[in-house]
Amino acid sequence: MNELEAQFRIEELSNQLHEHNHRYYVLNAPLISDQQFDFLLRELEQLENQFPQFKNPFSPTQRVGGDITDKFEKVQHKSAMLSLSNSYNKEEIQEWASRAIALAGKEIEFVMELKYDGVAIALWYEKGKLIRALTRGDGQVGEDVVQNAKTIKAIPISLSGHFPNEFEIRGEIFMPKSVFLKLNEERAEAGEERYANPRNTCAGTLKQQDSATVAKRNLDCYLYFVLAENSQSTLHSERVQEAAQWGFKVPDARMRMIETSKTVDGIIDFISYWDIHRTELPFEIDGIVIKVNDTQLWDELGMTAKSPRWAIAYKFKAESVSTQLEKITYQVGRTGAITPVANLAPVFLAGTTVKRASLHNADQIEKLDIREGDFVWVEKGGEIIPKVTGVDLSKPRSHSSSHNYITHCPECQTLLVRNEGEVLHYCPNELNCPPQVLGKIEHFISRKAMNIDGLGTETVAGLLAQRMIQDAGDLYTLRYEELLGLEFNVGSDDDIKRRSLQQKSVENLILGIENSKQVPFERILFALGIRHVGETVAKKIAKALKNIEECKNATFEQLLTIDEVGEIIADSFVHWFKQEKNIVFLQKLIDAQCQMSIDESAHALHSNALSGLSIVVSGTFETFTRDGIKEFIEKNGGKVSGSISSKTSFVVAGADMGPAKLKKAEDLKITILSEHDLRSVVG
Ligand code: IVH
């Protein structure tokens, strides 16, 4: 293919892919299969790599992310991003509507929309291309997260139809419930703490420095506000429809996600409908927004201190009920963290029967003066786990005295500790406290650690209960005959069933354990579950110390010289290897012939050509994948750094390096090399 043909094909593919993306993610009406889509995308990727001169920042290939941003640019909003006044009852909505009608001096049409529970975003387009995506910030100045926004498939990178040359549109980015639940499953599996709710997780995701991470999170976005000067129409509802023509995802009137009404009854009806049906939506909403449809009235209606009078939010009450608190019990997490649990007289709340709720921590119980026997308010907000929010004072108080928080671990009777500045109590008996022992084994076998298939929590608990194992090292001496028919419990407290291991499961399990002996040393180091030693740090330490003997002998000072290892990590590492029980555990892994030293051939340096250099890579490359170029630099003795600073030796720039980075490199007078330059430097 010659240059001209390539240019033509790239443009053709880009247009097709934008269109298919729009059909899939916005209209929910795909024309081609996922596989066909991937096929076209791959063709485009290949052509862009082959002819990087035709790759542009608005290409559909940008959706996969990969650009690293070290700092988001602060940008002044064209007009302030306001908030809405909230109201929690229908009378206030009635009053608001009457005031608007009185001010207008005539009948008014209202528009009702969902109040998406996410993060507000202001998108700027120029000539139909997305150039900025600003967060709300303080309302005046926001942060530009455009690289991350481009990975959100519901946000068009390139528009179609008759859009204004330059305009701004605002909306809400959110994390669908299913994505949130799946993400939390994965975190739990990896022994990481669960995220609290979709909204905060979405906000955190948008601030990720690596846009490839954002791409994997499957965020979504609805638009609800086209700025005035950009529209043909004076009606808000028509402006929203107009935006749909340009490619934006807007609420679907057929699903009643947006509706107009000239009466307050109509508004109330919409609110009541969604108060019941909101749990059926694939994303969370926290209320309904009501707007005056005629935008010519907006100026006349004016503003209160922070919010316009032409719109108001009706917020759903978090559903709450009162029930009797029968008993306070305590749960010990895998890290030893203690959580108090309210055991309740069963009560129906937001679709399910609730018997247990979180009491958070000791301070909370004391502050609310919650006592066993009290009637308490139980609430289900956005969070999945219900919580106790206070004592129901309309009921008689319990006769018991103020609650005494436990001083000893309910599982192993060790004296609890509470560290300065922390809210939770911990059981320090890491090595013998049953739930902590179980937690450690679960971490050891998890996917990112030893990845032992066929072994679930219940089986591990069964093996522990029957004293067939004491730590993860004992897994390696388990025999087929002793596992076959092994009985264990499944289900939770109220609904326990007995199961026994069948031939197929036992075979899987033995195979999983056998395969794990090939897992490389750096992952074993992570699997040990040393506090504060995550995946990346384990890799760095493994590379530096090379084998388990060196790890045992490593001193605090020596550890501090390793990249990314600070005092907390070094301290925790040394402490771990001082425990006799851990040394016994390690010996079991050694005996099982697990990989207790690094595979030198996989890590050996090819040269020292880049030794002592700190190198930043940016953009995409023709002859390297992103990980590939990092590995190339490291294998030749260089260090890859995420952000440009005065310490940067040079930047290797691929196609479409971000403009902010380029400017920074230029400002600091840092040399910029191509991937080919890099190869010649190494020789
Ligand atoms: S209109 C002048 N419509 O709620 C305000 N906002 O406190 C223009 N929100 O920051 C906003 N769904 O993030 C509007 N359908 C909707 C909304 C919505 C959610 C958020 C938005 C805003 C906050 C208001």
Side-chain angles (χ1 to χ4, degrees):
M1 194 179 279
N2 68 30
E3 261 208 348
L4 203 65
E5 285 165 344
Q7 185 178 16
F8 181 78
R9 182 67 183 148
I10 285 178
E11 210 177 302
E12 186 177 54
L13 281 169
S14 295
N15 290 339
Q16 282 177 5
L17 283 161
H18 278 310
E19 173 62 19
H20 287 307
N21 181 75
H22 178 246
R23 295 196 64 96
Y24 188 95
Y25 288 99
V26 178
L27 303 180
N28 209 352
L31 282 180
I32 59 173
S33 71
D34 292 3
Q35 202 188 352
Q36 284 168 314
F37 185 93
D38 286 341
F39 196 73
L40 294 175
L41 190 67
R42 221 163 305 143
E43 184 187 345
L44 178 60
E45 258 165 7
Q46 274 165 9
L47 278 175
E48 284 179 344
N49 284 338
Q50 218 178 327
F51 298 91
Q53 63 272 39
F54 302 129
K55 180 167 181 170
N56 72 60
F58 309 105
S59 161
T61 54
Q62 292 290 303
R63 298 273 192 210
V64 295
D67 249 28
I68 314 280
T69 315
D70 55 344
K71 214 162 170 226
F72 300 109
E73 193 184 343
K74 292 210 161 43
V75 179
Q76 174 96 32
H77 286 295
K78 288 185 185 159
S79 64
M81 270 182 104
L82 304 169
S83 56
L84 295 169
S85 341
N86 289 329
S87 110
Y88 290 87
N89 60 60
K90 293 171 185 164
E91 290 72 44
E92 278 176 26
I93 297 295
Q94 166 90 56
E95 280 166 29
W96 170 82
S98 308
R99 196 157 358 113
I101 294 167
L103 272 168
K106 59 177 181 200
E107 188 183 61
I108 285 188
E109 184 172 63
F110 299 100
V111 185
M112 294 82 73
E113 296 171 9
L114 305 181
K115 188 169 187 310
Y116 313 99
D117 200 7
V119 178
I121 195 82
L123 304 172
W124 294 13
Y125 286 83
E126 255 175 47
K127 300 196 179 72
K129 307 288 187 217
L130 175 65
I131 56 156
R132 285 195 190 279
L134 305 183
T135 59
R136 182 164 184 276
D138 62 1
Q140 302 295 333
V141 175
E143 285 182 312
D144 188 1
V145 294
V146 69
Q147 286 310 333
N148 289 343
K150 278 185 184 170
T151 69
I152 301 171
K153 314 272 197 329
I155 296 181
I157 300 182
S158 184
L159 303 178
S160 46
H162 299 289
F163 46 81
N165 194 34
E166 238 178 73
F167 73 100
E168 174 175 348
I169 187 166
R170 293 179 182 176
E172 196 91 349
I173 296 178
F174 55 88
M175 178 174 276
K177 289 178 195 165
S178 59
V179 176
F180 175 74
L181 291 175
K182 182 155 167 275
L183 183 64
N184 259 351
E185 284 301 300
E186 286 168 7
R187 287 184 69 84
E189 201 180 294
E192 292 163 324
E193 209 171 314
R194 285 169 184 267
Y195 288 129
N197 58 50
R199 185 195 342 103
N200 295 355
T201 315
C202 174
T205 301
L206 274 183
K207 291 288 189 70
Q208 287 282 327
Q209 295 189 331
D210 185 353
S211 57
T213 311
V214 187
K216 287 189 202 119
R217 294 273 174 95
N218 294 318
L219 300 180
D220 203 342
C221 179
Y222 273 109
L223 281 308
Y224 50 61
F225 189 52
V226 185
L227 267 71
E229 62 275 20
N230 309 307
S231 183
Q232 306 277 326
S233 172
T234 56
L235 290 184
H236 168 70
S237 58
E238 284 180 2
R239 287 182 179 174
V240 170
Q241 275 322 306
E242 206 178 8
Q245 299 304 314
W246 308 334
F248 292 98
K249 181 158 169 171
V250 301
D252 188 345
R254 289 165 309 180
M255 307 276 290
R256 259 197 114 169
M257 291 169 71
I258 184 165
E259 207 164 273
T260 56
S261 165
K262 289 185 174 154
T263 66
V264 176
D265 283 350
I267 299 177
I268 304 297
D269 183 56
F270 188 83
I271 291 177
S272 309
Y273 176 82
W274 283 112
D275 204 354
I276 298 169
H277 293 280
R278 67 177 152 133
T279 52
E280 295 156 20
L281 284 166
F283 48 84
E284 290 195 341
I285 60 173
D286 60 340
I288 297 297
V289 180
I290 306 119
K291 300 174 182 172
V292 170
N293 202 5
D294 183 354
T295 61
Q296 288 175 324
L297 286 174
W298 289 7
D299 275 348
E300 276 174 52
L301 290 168
M303 297 266 303
T304 65
K306 269 196 298 208
S307 41
R309 282 213 174 81
W310 50 261
I312 192 166
Y314 173 88
K315 296 260 266 189
F316 294 128
K317 282 186 252 342
E319 287 188 70
S320 70
V321 285
S322 151
T323 186
Q324 195 162 28
L325 169 61
E326 292 174 342
K327 196 167 171 47
I328 296 177
T329 56
Y330 299 86
Q331 252 170 21
V332 187
R334 60 177 67 174
T335 58
I338 309 289
T339 343
V341 179
N343 293 266
L344 308 162
V347 64
F348 197 72
L349 172 64
T352 52
T353 302
V354 175
K355 293 181 208 153
R356 264 181 290 274
S358 171
L359 283 165
H360 300 290
N361 53 54
D363 289 355
Q364 186 76 0
I365 295 176
E366 194 184 320
K367 197 173 92 195
L368 301 174
D369 189 20
I370 293 172
R371 306 174 192 181
E372 288 179 341
D374 276 342
F375 276 81
V376 292
W377 288 108
V378 184
E379 197 171 280
K380 230 190 220 173
E383 296 81 18
I384 292 77
I385 304 161
K387 58 186 182 218
V388 173
T389 55
V391 176
D392 178 0
L393 296 169
S394 69
K395 300 268 168 55
R397 290 295 308 259
S398 144
H399 297 299
S400 61
S401 50
S402 287
H403 183 71
N404 285 325
Y405 206 77
I406 46 166
T407 51
H408 291 74
C409 176
E411 301 275 351
C412 71
Q413 282 68 49
T414 304
L415 185 67
L416 299 180
V417 293
R418 181 175 170 183
N419 294 327
E420 184 89 14
E422 288 185 359
V423 289
L424 293 183
H425 286 72
Y426 280 89
C427 166
N429 184 16
E430 263 181 70
L431 299 178
N432 296 300
C433 179
Q436 297 191 61
V437 172
L438 174 66
K440 277 187 192 305
I441 301 176
E442 284 188 301
H443 170 74
F444 184 86
I445 63 181
S446 67
R447 205 163 35 88
K448 287 185 174 169
M450 304 300 275
N451 191 20
I452 301 184
D453 274 345
L455 193 53
T457 301
E458 282 143 347
T459 321
V460 176
L463 292 166
L464 279 168
Q466 304 188 27
R467 302 199 175 275
M468 292 172 68
I469 59 172
Q470 288 186 3
D471 59 35
D474 295 332
L475 293 172
Y476 293 96
T477 51
L478 290 174
R479 284 171 302 115
Y480 180 87
E481 309 80 59
E482 57 181 340
L483 288 170
L484 192 64
L486 175 81
E487 292 209 340
F488 57 95
N489 294 335
V490 294
S492 58
D493 299 3
D494 326 304
D495 185 25
I496 294 182
K497 294 196 182 72
R498 294 288 280 176
R499 284 277 155 72
S500 69
L501 280 182
Q502 303 303 312
Q503 186 187 342
K504 190 82 202 134
S505 321
V506 179
E507 280 168 9
N508 267 342
L509 212 166
I510 297 277
L511 187 67
I513 293 173
E514 197 53 38
N515 287 342
S516 77
K517 293 180 185 171
Q518 298 315 319
V519 165
F521 177 57
E522 56 269 32
R523 266 171 56 196
I524 294 202
L525 209 51
F526 168 62
L528 297 181
I530 304 172
R531 205 171 268 185
H532 306 299
V533 178
E535 244 185 311
T536 319
V537 170
K539 248 187 222 161
K540 301 259 172 183
I541 297 181
K543 233 185 217 179
L545 300 180
K546 307 235 173 348
N547 61 51
I548 202 71
E549 282 308 311
E550 289 297 314
C551 289
K552 274 189 206 163
N553 299 330
T555 63
F556 180 76
E557 289 73 24
Q558 187 186 358
L559 285 160
L560 284 184
T561 63
I562 301 173
D563 192 27
E564 292 208 26
V565 177
E567 292 184 2
I568 294 179
I569 298 177
D571 192 49
S572 160
F573 196 84
V574 173
H575 175 79
W576 195 91
F577 283 94
K578 276 205 194 117
Q579 311 295 306
E580 184 51 36
K581 225 174 160 171
N582 287 335
I583 300 301
V584 174
F585 164 47
L586 278 180
Q587 191 56 47
K588 295 176 190 171
L589 302 184
I590 297 169
D591 293 344
Q593 294 183 320
C594 289
Q595 307 296 314
M596 302 313 275
S597 60
I598 204 154
D599 177 0
E600 290 285 355
S601 63
H603 291 272
L605 276 190
H606 292 166
S607 83
N608 274 321
L610 304 174
S611 142
L613 300 179
S614 167
I615 300 166
V616 173
V617 294
S618 178
T620 49
F621 301 94
E622 261 177 72
T623 58
F624 287 113
T625 61
R626 264 193 97 75
D627 286 340
I629 194 161
K630 288 183 184 161
E631 199 182 312
F632 180 79
I633 292 171
E634 282 168 357
K635 287 209 166 160
N636 288 291
K639 185 171 166 277
V640 179
S641 154
S643 62
I644 299 178
S645 74
S646 56
K647 295 202 191 90
T648 306
S649 313
F650 57 80
V651 178
V652 187
D656 60 74
M657 168 175 179
K661 261 201 177 156
L662 190 62
K663 183 162 183 312
K664 191 157 182 194
E666 283 168 0
D667 288 351
L668 292 171
K669 301 208 163 44
I670 289 166
T671 311
I672 298 179
L673 301 182
S674 72
E675 60 195 292
H676 307 292
D677 299 337
L678 178 70
R679 284 192 193 274
S680 13
V681 170
V682 170

